[in-house]
Amino acid sequence: MTVAPSAAATRAATAARPRDPDIIATIGSTPLVALDRLFPPTLFQVYGKCERFNPGGSIKDRAARSMIEHALSTGVLMPGISTVVESSSGNLGIALAQLCNFYRLDLICVVDPRTTAQNTAIMRAYGATVEVVDRDAETGEYLPSRIRRVRELLRTVPDAYWPNQYGNEYNALAHQHTMREIHEALPQAPDYLFLAAGTTGTLRGCAEYIAAEGLPTQVVAVDAVGSVIFGPPESWERRHRRTIPGHGAAVVPALLRPGLADRVVKMTDLDCVRGCRALLGKESILAGGSSGAVVAALLDASSWITPGATCVAILPDGGDRYLDTIYSDSWVESRFG
């Protein structure tokens, strides 16, 4: 005679069964590809960490997952009740929109006019509410206006939660795993790691992993001309208005710690275009603005990189969201002449 399993036995069997992978489980484990055509290995070897292969299309998927899942695990966020409120120039907003849709959370994302129409459309497709703010009257920058609006929403929206990507330790913790992936994918630790600095979550997480493991890797932080992350901009930088989002910041991030970067280099918007188009032309990789900044920094580094060194460039996102700007000849001509 066949005896039907009890309800308790069924629950126990279900709990013991490995969880089937869902879309969130695909975040991370992105490919590391050789960039031999753009950087001949006879000089030094360069690999690109292609973060566009995350399901939301950028490295921000890692931080969004880390911050949201921690808040869910501690009860700060409640599915079906809570509203996430965050400021973003694009990629984090998309990453959060995907996570919030998956976990049944509302999202209000505060952006500025530099955020592309495609990015805001993607956020809205996931069900997010998108608010656009203008420049801060005092500083002429967008970030202070975005943060001010976030604080207003926190006071007025019930059960609102601000992940605060600029100060959330779980942003940085996510990127210890990013660096672990790089370390484990290569026969030995890279000599140089090039990465874009914005919230400094990637910088801090990777640098802390390097320090904890005692790796000889030197970290090169790629900032934007006019950014204040690593100190006040020079007088000539203040004339440079950034139109390509993704790296640099108008406010020093709370996540930043002294000594995380061994070297800091600053790139202009034109450098971003130059790097993106070089990467596309030589490697057939369609990359976003901050990826172009990282590539441009590497192109300019041949005078000081040790011959025979191994370098890794973290490429934060893809270029399909920049077709109307970086990859548009008419936009480039109108912007740079």
Side-chain angles (χ1 to χ4, degrees):
M1 180 177 70
T2 302
V3 179
S6 66
T10 301
R11 286 195 298 271
T14 301
R17 187 179 65 206
R19 180 183 174 185
D20 293 330
D22 50 43
I23 191 64
I24 305 306
T26 67
I27 294 173
S29 300
T30 52
L32 191 68
V33 300
L35 304 180
D36 291 353
R37 294 183 176 187
L38 186 55
F39 300 99
T42 51
L43 299 176
F44 46 83
Q45 181 78 58
V46 178
Y47 296 94
K49 182 71 166 163
C50 298
E51 292 296 300
R52 68 171 301 165
F53 288 95
N54 286 301
S58 81
I59 196 170
K60 293 295 187 179
D61 285 19
R62 297 178 184 263
R65 180 184 185 183
S66 181
M67 294 187 295
I68 293 300
E69 290 191 344
H70 174 258
L72 286 167
S73 69
T74 56
V76 173
L77 284 175
M78 300 292 290
I81 297 175
S82 302
T83 297
V84 175
V85 180
E86 183 59 287
S87 153
S88 171
S89 61
N91 283 332
L92 182 75
I94 291 171
L96 285 173
Q98 177 178 241
L99 266 290
C100 289
N101 182 63
F102 185 84
Y103 285 119
R104 297 188 299 113
L105 301 163
D106 289 332
L107 171 65
I108 303 174
C109 189
V110 182
V111 303
D112 61 58
R114 293 178 303 177
T115 305
T116 66
Q118 184 178 13
N119 281 355
T120 57
I122 294 171
M123 293 181 218
R124 289 183 173 121
Y126 278 118
T129 298
V130 180
E131 291 196 9
V132 184
V133 299
D134 209 341
R135 293 184 191 273
D136 176 62
E138 183 177 342
T139 65
E141 296 285 348
Y142 289 114
L143 183 57
S145 289
R146 295 199 327 240
I147 299 302
R148 184 165 55 250
R149 181 54 182 156
V150 166
R151 295 187 187 279
E152 291 170 355
L153 290 166
L154 291 174
R155 291 194 298 268
T156 57
V157 176
D159 299 301
Y161 168 70
W162 180 24
N164 186 10
Q165 61 169 326
Y166 286 89
N168 193 319
E169 299 284 328
Y170 283 85
N171 175 358
L173 285 171
H175 297 294
Q176 292 192 21
H177 194 77
T178 306
M179 189 62 212
R180 180 183 298 277
E181 290 177 16
I182 293 169
H183 185 202
E184 293 178 349
L186 296 172
Q188 58 188 28
D191 298 294
Y192 301 93
L193 176 71
F194 282 70
L195 50 80
T199 68
T200 67
T202 306
L203 169 63
R204 180 167 164 186
C206 290
E208 288 182 342
Y209 177 90
I210 288 168
E213 296 295 318
L215 306 184
T217 307
Q218 294 187 48
V219 178
V220 181
V222 181
D223 196 7
V225 168
S227 169
V228 304
I229 295 175
F230 298 100
E234 301 290 337
S235 57
W236 68 269
E237 292 185 65
R238 299 190 184 100
R239 297 191 297 269
H240 179 76
R241 283 292 178 94
R242 291 185 293 132
T243 56
I244 298 176
H247 65 298
V251 176
V252 179
L255 286 174
L256 185 65
R257 297 291 182 272
L260 293 176
D262 296 287
R263 183 187 289 255
V264 175
V265 294
K266 288 192 172 185
M267 297 287 115
T268 65
D269 281 6
L270 185 56
D271 290 323
C272 295
V273 173
R274 175 169 61 99
C276 283
R277 293 194 172 210
L279 189 62
L280 178 61
K282 291 289 188 179
E283 301 287 353
S284 202
I285 295 175
L286 188 72
S290 53
S291 301
V294 170
V295 170
L298 265 161
L299 288 170
D300 293 346
S302 57
S303 62
W304 54 264
I305 288 181
T306 305
T310 298
C311 307
V312 170
I314 296 181
L315 308 178
D317 63 355
D320 49 333
R321 297 166 188 169
Y322 300 83
L323 297 179
D324 294 333
T325 54
I326 290 170
Y327 296 100
S328 166
D329 289 343
S330 59
W331 183 88
V332 172
E333 184 176 354
S334 67
R335 179 74 174 82
F336 305 109

